[in-house]
Amino acid sequence: MDKNIIYSIKSLYRESMDIVGYTFGFGEHSCCVVGALRGNEIQQMAICAQLIDTLKRIEENGGIVPGKSIMIIPCANNYSMNIGKRFWPMDNTDINRMFPGYEQGETTQRIAAGLFKSIKDYVYGIQLASFYREGEFLPHVKVMDTNCRSRETYESLTDFGLPYGLIRTPQPYDTATLNYNWQVWGCHAYSLFSNYTDHIGRQSTQTAVNAVLRFLVIKGIIKWALHRGMHTRVVIESLIKNVQTSRAGILKKHVAVGDEVAEGDLLCEIIHPLEGNTIGRIESPVDGTVFFSYNKQLVMEHTDVFNIIPFSYA
Amino acid sequence: MIKSVSVAALPVAENLIIQKNRIENNAGPACKRVCVVTGTHGDELEGQYVCARLAKILNKEKQNLSGIVDIYPALNPLGIDSVTRGFPMFDLDMNRIFPGSPTGLVAEIAANDIIRDIEGADMCIDIHSSNIFLREIPQVRVSEQTAAELLPYAVMLNVDLVWIHASATVLESTLAHSLNTRGVKTLVVEMGVGMRITENYCKQLVDGILNMLHELGMWNGHIEQVRKPLVSKDYRIDFLNSDAHGIFIPSTAHGSHVNAGDRIGKVIDPLLGTLVEETLAPCSGLLFTLREYPVVFGGSLLARIMGDSKNG
């Protein structure tokens, strides 16, 4: 394993922020895995850390295929992480909205440029991503449906062995993300979502680590004994049913992520925050699986509290 | 007349309400309508004084108005109320989610309500105030795509500069882009600095808005002589970013003319008492952007200069 600083930035009164890449194997730049770009992506960093620990053992056992190399970048924003902020400490900008970056630009543009320069030429790119909504997901992997996406990118969604593979039509604000720009540069890019962001789930961490290792095995980058994972159902993201609140108040959930529900099943109630009575009941609009569950106690009107993947799209 | 543009219930005994003030006179079916919007970013306050002053003048001299002026002082009222740039409880920049969605989250529904409310207007002026880090002279920013159509209107607004910038996909989700693609000519004004009000700039812009209303045949009241702005396509623009970390001390007044080689400011290290970096003007021209917030990282923007000519 080689450990290299791939980008560094200094602050007035803090130690320098070094973005460290851990490389296994030699030769072709086969796969790069990027963890936390935001300060609250703790699970994403922890997945990378466990991945590095496992890859050390794999390398010691001769499991890295000759001529292939893997780089893992567990954290590209410890300045934010160490002070409990999601975005950049100074100006609250998001590194994952700055790609491909600009070397002469603002600070987070420079960080994105410095990072991207080191990772853009990998054959496969995996970002351990987090979503802008707070809640719990079923683990899944996602690709952007850009013009640059090749058939192989799409077909490889199933190689992670996660229960769902999503295809997303990018919005304008997606065009400055790492995933999108990786694809523009010709990399097969995936965003891997585990259950949590600022909480480390032991089982979900292991699920994500296994998903990456499984992908590396199937792509012929490592040799390692691993079960094949789950059958992956590929879903167009826009076909997922968003279930929104029509009232505001305290959220009382009756189902959890992963539950299978039938049309008409009670998903949650909204409780009056001052008087305690039920002011709203939300039922499932379809037969399906609860894919996302909002995890705040208070909800506004029009909050997405559940996403449900229908059993069928009829 | 005060109208609600978007309403959504918050969890505990409160509604989020986005309001506008409609001021109208001789408002027949074919009359013109101009919208003045601000407060998309909760830390940008210059537009607050513009709205207040404009409403005061129009209400006082309503007889001189022909048509409708809709004033939206706070597209992000929770942000303004909580000194928060973004839409509280929502991770994305509000000016990156337009045109929103009628079935989306609260911020997306609000964005969609705003678009639907403004749709059909003849003109929209979207007022911003940079951020807390940079001070800007009054300027209109238009994309290359819309420059030909918007430039004749931009020069009416009594600003010092019209900056025509390159189009970027990520900007397709701004309010201005969404409105321009729907046929509402929309000008983005940037001036002053975040979290502050620069009274002179606000008065300058109000004079410009009254001049525009006059040019559109909507205002018969007094108007001031407006200034002729510099237009960026005729000049070079230089960005001066810090390559060091430290405290920036400006040494040239914002909005002044500088000569090539002049010192714009310096970056110092307070712990060591040393000079870390000097910022020198790469060309002669107008110092139209100057850093306001002293702490800098490598990459922090310190200044922008519009050169005296295209080539410097």
Side-chain angles (χ1 to χ4, degrees):
Chain A
M1 181 190 79
D2 270 344
K3 181 179 169 184
N4 293 303
I5 295 172
I6 60 174
Y7 190 76
S8 184
I9 188 165
K10 289 179 179 173
S11 144
L12 185 53
Y13 294 122
R14 298 176 67 172
E15 289 189 278
S16 62
M17 185 181 94
D18 298 332
I19 301 176
V20 177
Y22 296 79
T23 305
F24 300 86
F26 302 93
E28 175 199 73
H29 286 178
S30 307
C31 185
C32 178
V33 182
V34 174
L37 293 177
R38 295 156 175 159
N40 68 333
E41 293 180 342
I42 298 165
Q43 164 120 341
Q44 287 66 29
M45 180 177 67
I47 292 166
C48 283
Q50 193 165 319
L51 200 52
I52 288 167
D53 192 47
T54 309
L55 283 169
K56 280 182 203 166
R57 281 190 284 125
I58 293 173
E59 190 171 51
E60 283 165 10
N61 287 285
I64 310 290
V65 171
K68 307 281 184 183
S69 75
I70 308 150
M71 180 156 72
I72 315 288
I73 300 167
C75 181
N77 191 356
N78 62 286
Y79 267 3
S80 297
M81 199 167 271
N82 287 336
I83 60 168
K85 276 193 74 171
R86 179 163 163 81
F87 297 129
W88 187 246
M90 169 72 81
D91 58 10
N92 217 35
T93 51
D94 183 356
I95 295 171
N96 201 30
R97 294 281 183 272
M98 294 293 167
F99 287 97
Y102 176 44
E103 285 179 351
Q104 302 302 314
E106 290 266 7
T107 308
T108 43
Q109 290 176 309
R110 291 184 181 202
I111 295 170
L115 180 60
F116 199 60
K117 191 176 175 182
S118 298
I119 65 177
K120 64 183 170 55
D121 296 325
Y122 278 80
V123 178
Y124 301 104
I126 301 169
Q127 183 187 0
L128 297 163
S130 70
F131 203 53
Y132 68 90
R133 281 186 281 152
E134 299 208 38
E136 188 181 341
F137 279 101
L138 281 180
H140 62 280
V141 63
K142 188 185 288 189
V143 295
M144 298 269 193
D145 192 10
T146 67
N147 292 333
C148 315
R149 179 176 60 78
S150 71
R151 187 170 179 81
E152 186 196 340
T153 311
Y154 170 81
E155 288 172 350
S156 298
L157 268 175
T158 59
D159 292 344
F160 291 87
L162 290 172
Y164 292 98
L166 266 53
I167 299 171
R168 173 179 173 80
T169 303
Q171 301 299 306
Y173 59 77
D174 289 318
T175 59
T177 61
L178 172 58
N179 184 308
Y180 186 93
N181 283 281
W182 247 339
Q183 284 206 36
V184 170
W185 259 256
C187 172
H188 302 290
Y190 305 91
S191 296
L192 197 157
F193 291 79
S194 57
N195 299 57
Y196 314 108
T197 301
D198 51 7
H199 162 76
I200 299 171
R202 193 169 61 89
Q203 199 171 29
S204 63
T205 299
Q206 191 61 57
T207 299
V209 168
N210 287 349
V212 175
L213 293 175
R214 190 175 296 119
F215 182 84
L216 295 175
V217 168
I218 290 176
K219 293 301 177 192
I221 299 167
I222 62 170
K223 288 179 181 170
W224 192 247
L226 203 67
H227 65 82
R228 291 189 58 83
M230 283 173 267
H231 169 75
T232 303
R233 184 173 170 209
V234 176
V235 177
I236 307 294
E237 191 184 49
S238 59
L239 297 177
I240 295 174
K241 293 285 181 193
N242 294 336
V243 179
Q244 289 198 330
T245 51
S246 55
R247 302 295 300 268
I250 293 171
L251 177 65
K252 183 179 177 184
K253 293 192 280 190
H254 292 274
V255 294
V257 159
D259 283 355
E260 294 189 351
V261 294
E263 184 179 345
D265 281 357
L266 181 64
L267 299 177
C268 66
E269 293 172 86
I270 308 297
I271 309 296
H272 192 293
L274 304 179
E275 298 170 14
N277 55 303
T278 299
I279 55 176
R281 287 166 54 88
I282 300 177
E283 295 172 354
S284 178
V286 290
D287 296 347
T289 306
V290 179
F291 177 70
F292 164 80
S293 171
Y294 187 68
N295 66 359
K296 294 284 185 187
Q297 294 285 270
L298 295 177
V299 286
M300 294 186 194
E301 191 180 358
H302 308 305
T303 301
D304 271 357
V305 280
F306 297 105
N307 291 167
I308 297 176
I309 296 184
F311 292 143
S312 69
Y313 301 124
Chain B
M1 181 194 296
I2 306 301
K3 291 185 175 181
S4 294
V5 175
S6 185
V7 180
L10 297 175
V12 186
E14 185 189 358
N15 287 305
L16 161 68
I17 307 174
I18 299 172
Q19 294 178 299
K20 71 174 180 182
N21 182 1
R22 169 160 289 191
I23 303 171
E24 59 186 316
N25 191 46
N26 297 325
C31 77
K32 287 185 174 161
R33 176 160 68 102
V34 169
C35 298
V36 177
V37 306
T38 192
T40 312
H41 297 127
D43 61 351
E44 298 183 6
L45 303 177
E46 303 276 8
Q48 298 302 302
Y49 190 63
V50 173
C51 289
R53 185 172 171 83
L54 184 64
K56 184 180 174 185
I57 293 170
L58 295 179
N59 278 323
K60 192 175 169 188
E61 299 181 49
K62 204 182 271 186
Q63 73 279 3
N64 288 321
L65 178 67
S66 295
I68 298 170
V69 177
D70 281 333
I71 299 173
Y72 305 67
L75 298 190
N76 176 10
L78 297 179
I80 291 177
D81 199 64
S82 58
V83 205
T84 306
R85 184 169 177 81
F87 196 102
M89 317 282 283
F90 187 71
D91 221 14
L92 299 174
D93 182 337
M94 191 180 181
N95 209 23
R96 295 290 181 273
I97 58 167
F98 287 99
S101 159
T103 57
L105 305 177
V106 170
E108 294 166 318
I109 291 173
N112 192 251
D113 287 341
I114 291 163
I115 290 285
R116 284 191 292 115
D117 202 76
I118 297 174
E119 251 179 341
D122 297 277
M123 179 69 65
C124 179
I125 301 159
D126 180 14
I127 305 168
H128 292 258
S129 341
S130 180
N131 53 32
I132 63 166
F133 302 102
L134 302 169
R135 182 176 285 279
E136 301 281 0
I137 62 171
Q139 59 198 264
V140 171
R141 292 183 186 171
V142 296
S143 69
E144 285 169 345
Q145 268 177 317
T146 56
E149 189 182 8
L150 296 181
L151 194 53
Y153 298 96
V155 299
M156 296 176 186
L157 278 180
N158 200 30
V159 293
D160 298 289
L161 167 67
V162 177
W163 186 354
I164 300 169
H165 60 80
S167 304
T169 310
V170 73
L171 297 179
E172 288 175 8
S173 45
T174 61
L175 174 64
H177 182 90
S178 297
L179 288 173
N180 277 312
T181 55
R182 285 165 173 74
V184 181
K185 290 186 271 298
T186 301
L187 299 169
V188 174
V189 175
E190 288 276 359
M191 63 177 195
V193 64
M195 292 192 186
R196 296 289 181 270
I197 286 177
T198 314
E199 195 175 350
N200 288 344
Y201 287 172
C202 296
K203 287 179 174 172
Q204 182 181 333
L205 181 61
V206 171
D207 288 343
I209 294 172
L210 291 173
N211 178 63
M212 175 180 277
L213 293 175
H214 174 78
E215 294 281 347
L216 294 172
M218 296 174 66
W219 180 246
N220 287 319
H222 173 73
I223 54 165
E224 298 285 341
Q225 179 74 35
V226 297
R227 54 190 81 192
K228 188 178 175 198
L230 300 170
V231 179
S232 66
K233 64 182 170 58
D234 302 323
Y235 306 93
R236 64 181 265 183
I237 290 182
D238 280 85
F239 288 59
L240 284 72
N241 293 78
S242 174
D243 286 320
H245 54 279
I247 300 293
F248 177 67
I249 309 291
S251 49
T252 304
H254 176 234
S256 62
H257 183 274
V258 295
N259 293 313
D262 282 356
R263 187 159 86 171
I264 306 297
K266 59 186 176 183
V267 177
I268 56 170
D269 183 330
L271 182 64
L272 302 174
T274 53
L275 175 70
V276 179
E277 184 179 89
E278 265 197 313
T279 309
L280 304 178
C283 63
S284 300
L286 174 68
L287 182 66
F288 70 94
T289 304
L290 186 62
R291 189 166 187 88
E292 181 81 8
Y293 191 77
V295 180
V296 296
F297 276 89
S300 295
L301 186 61
L302 304 177
R304 282 186 282 235
I305 296 172
M306 176 174 279
D308 287 336
S309 64
K310 187 84 178 168
N311 300 314

